[in-house]
Amino acid sequence: MEQENKFNTESLVQGNQEQEINLLEMAAKLWSSRRIILKWVGIGIVIGLIVAFSIPKEYSSSVKLSPELSNSGSSGSGMSALASLAGINMNSGNSSDAVYPELYPDVVSSIPFTVSLLSVPVQTEDNKVITVQEFLEEETSAPWWSAILKLPFKAIGAVKGLFSESNEAESDTINAYNLTLEQYTLVKALSSRINADVDSKSLVVTISSMMQDPKVAAQLADTVTSRLQKYITSYRTEKARQDLYYAKKINEEARQAYYTAQKNYATASDRNQSLSSRAAAIAIERMQNEASLAFNLYNSTAQRVQIAEAKVQETTPVFAVVQPATVPVKAAKPSKVAILIGFVFLAFVASAAYILFLPGLKESIKSVAKNRTTLQLQD
């Protein structure tokens, strides 16, 4: 056992020594070929600078807001007391809010929401007022190599256009239900430039936009925030606004019925003022009772309208803007230093692989070729 342990330890020591010798040999090869490495690194620096300065600048602006969450449990306390005065029961059960903050990113990235942003007017840094769609199509640039990469697809599209006839007339308006390929590409390009993120703990919503103009980025972030607030407000108050519309409708009908009953009672009283018959007195009394009932109904529906108006105000959410949109001073992208470091690292790795592995690969290829020739000669 002792001899076996000694043999194992000696083999481990020899293996470590061989690894150290291999590493030293590799380091010596790299040092002896340092000029080649420096040339490759220089080429990487040049390519990195070209790439870094070819990518257009992108500016980011963000808005942080804290939405008010619906609490159906507490909403019935003050409103129920007011409604009980009119004999209305508002304790119809608790209802949860279906559009909670975790769904805000899905709302912002939806196609109808994005399409509605294309027609928003924005002012560029040059004080030029255009729509978001025009800014994306005319004022947004791409790196020079993207045009080269798109040439094959444009050629294929041009060839297809020669053999296909299209009778569809192009329209300036974009239908979110039926998008063309160009419109879908434009919508996806805008959707990739806006983002909504929700903090799972504090539920603070961060809405950000990325554009090639700092003023446009700030305006777009502010517009997305206001549109999202309107969407959430419209959803949260939809039921209350429908109730208000119905309350106003029945109130108007009760008002007309009350005015008609009051008019009939006044007319009958004037006509039968000099008569002392019992039938006339009963008819006048009946009309008076009808006018009183109509007034009570009209008064009840008027109170219902007031309660419905208060309900709309109560269900309207309040958004606390923690951080408003501001015009960015510095560009968020591209990071020229990171791009330069990345290309320098790739150039060093490529040059090291060329120095260490290419000679051995050539020798192995030559040996394989020699073996084949010898085998062929022997045959």
Side-chain angles (χ1 to χ4, degrees):
M1 292 294 291
E2 293 179 357
Q3 291 180 355
E4 290 180 357
N5 292 331
K6 288 180 180 180
F7 178 76
N8 292 330
T9 54
E10 287 177 357
S11 62
L12 290 174
V13 170
Q14 290 178 358
N16 293 330
Q17 289 178 354
E18 289 178 357
Q19 290 180 359
E20 291 178 359
I21 291 171
N22 292 332
L23 291 175
L24 291 175
E25 289 178 356
M26 293 173 64
K29 286 183 180 180
L30 294 177
W31 178 253
S32 62
S33 304
R34 58 185 178 275
R35 292 183 178 179
I36 298 175
I37 295 176
L38 291 176
K39 288 181 181 179
W40 282 65
V41 170
I43 294 172
I45 291 174
V46 173
I47 297 175
L49 290 175
I50 293 173
V51 172
F53 284 97
S54 298
I55 300 175
K57 292 182 179 179
E58 299 281 350
Y59 297 89
S60 178
S61 181
S62 61
V63 178
K64 289 185 178 182
L65 55 92
S66 178
E68 178 190 18
L69 300 179
S70 64
N71 188 359
S72 59
S74 62
S75 62
S77 58
M79 293 299 301
S80 297
L82 180 62
S84 62
L85 298 177
I88 301 172
N89 183 16
M90 297 186 64
N91 295 324
S92 58
N94 296 330
S95 61
S96 59
D97 192 0
V99 183
Y100 43 89
E102 284 78 4
L103 286 180
Y104 290 1
D106 295 331
V107 174
V108 172
S109 61
S110 63
I111 291 179
F113 189 89
T114 308
V115 169
S116 67
L117 297 174
L118 291 173
S119 59
V120 174
V122 291
Q123 185 177 11
T124 63
E125 202 172 15
D126 301 332
N127 295 326
K128 183 180 179 181
V129 179
I130 55 177
T131 62
V132 174
Q133 180 178 355
E134 293 173 346
F135 180 83
L136 291 175
E137 294 176 344
E138 301 173 4
E139 302 294 331
T140 302
S141 59
W144 54 267
W145 57 81
S146 63
I148 298 174
L149 296 175
K150 290 179 181 178
L151 283 177
F153 300 99
K154 289 183 178 179
I156 294 172
V159 172
K160 288 183 178 180
L162 294 175
F163 295 98
S164 62
E165 296 181 357
S166 178
N167 296 325
E168 296 181 358
E170 295 184 358
S171 178
D172 295 334
T173 59
I174 298 179
N175 184 8
Y177 178 74
N178 187 15
L179 295 175
T180 63
L181 180 59
E182 292 77 8
Q183 292 173 350
Y184 179 78
T185 305
L186 182 65
V187 169
K188 285 300 179 182
L190 178 58
S191 179
S192 64
R193 292 181 173 272
I194 56 177
N195 184 36
D197 188 22
V198 181
D199 189 352
S200 59
K201 294 183 179 179
S202 61
L203 295 181
V204 174
V205 183
T206 302
I207 299 172
S208 59
S209 65
M210 184 81 67
M211 301 296 282
Q212 293 184 7
D213 188 286
K215 292 182 68 176
V216 174
Q219 294 171 48
L220 185 60
D222 187 67
T223 302
V224 172
T225 303
S226 61
R227 293 289 179 91
L228 180 62
Q229 290 176 351
K230 289 180 180 179
Y231 178 86
I232 302 303
T233 301
S234 176
Y235 168 77
R236 291 274 296 274
T237 59
E238 179 66 24
K239 181 62 168 60
R241 285 185 287 109
Q242 289 181 359
D243 293 342
L244 177 61
Y245 173 78
Y246 178 72
K248 287 183 177 180
K249 181 180 178 181
I250 61 175
N251 176 252
E252 180 64 22
E253 293 175 355
R255 185 177 70 87
Q256 294 295 334
Y258 167 62
Y259 287 171
T260 302
Q262 192 178 37
K263 183 178 180 181
N264 293 334
Y265 170 68
T267 303
S269 298
D270 293 339
R271 288 179 179 179
N272 301 314
Q273 187 176 4
S274 60
L275 300 177
S276 59
S277 63
R278 186 64 181 168
I282 293 175
I284 293 174
E285 184 179 1
R286 184 177 67 251
M287 291 182 182
Q288 183 179 6
N289 294 333
E290 291 177 355
S292 299
L293 291 175
F295 173 75
N296 292 332
L297 180 60
Y298 172 58
N299 186 30
S300 176
T301 56
Q303 293 177 358
R304 193 183 184 98
V305 170
Q306 294 179 353
I307 294 173
E309 290 176 347
K311 186 65 177 178
V312 171
Q313 179 63 31
E314 181 189 6
T315 55
T316 301
V318 177
F319 296 88
V321 179
V322 181
Q323 175 183 324
T326 56
V327 179
V329 179
K330 296 182 180 180
K333 292 167 54 178
S335 178
K336 295 181 175 62
V337 177
I339 294 174
L340 188 60
I341 293 173
F343 274 93
V344 169
F345 177 76
L346 290 176
F348 175 77
V349 172
S351 61
Y354 173 80
I355 294 168
L356 295 175
F357 302 109
L358 187 62
L361 183 61
K362 288 181 178 180
E363 290 180 358
S364 62
I365 293 173
K366 288 180 181 179
S367 63
V368 171
K370 286 180 180 180
N371 293 330
R372 286 181 179 179
T373 54
T374 54
L375 291 173
Q376 289 176 359
L377 292 174
Q378 289 176 2
D379 293 338

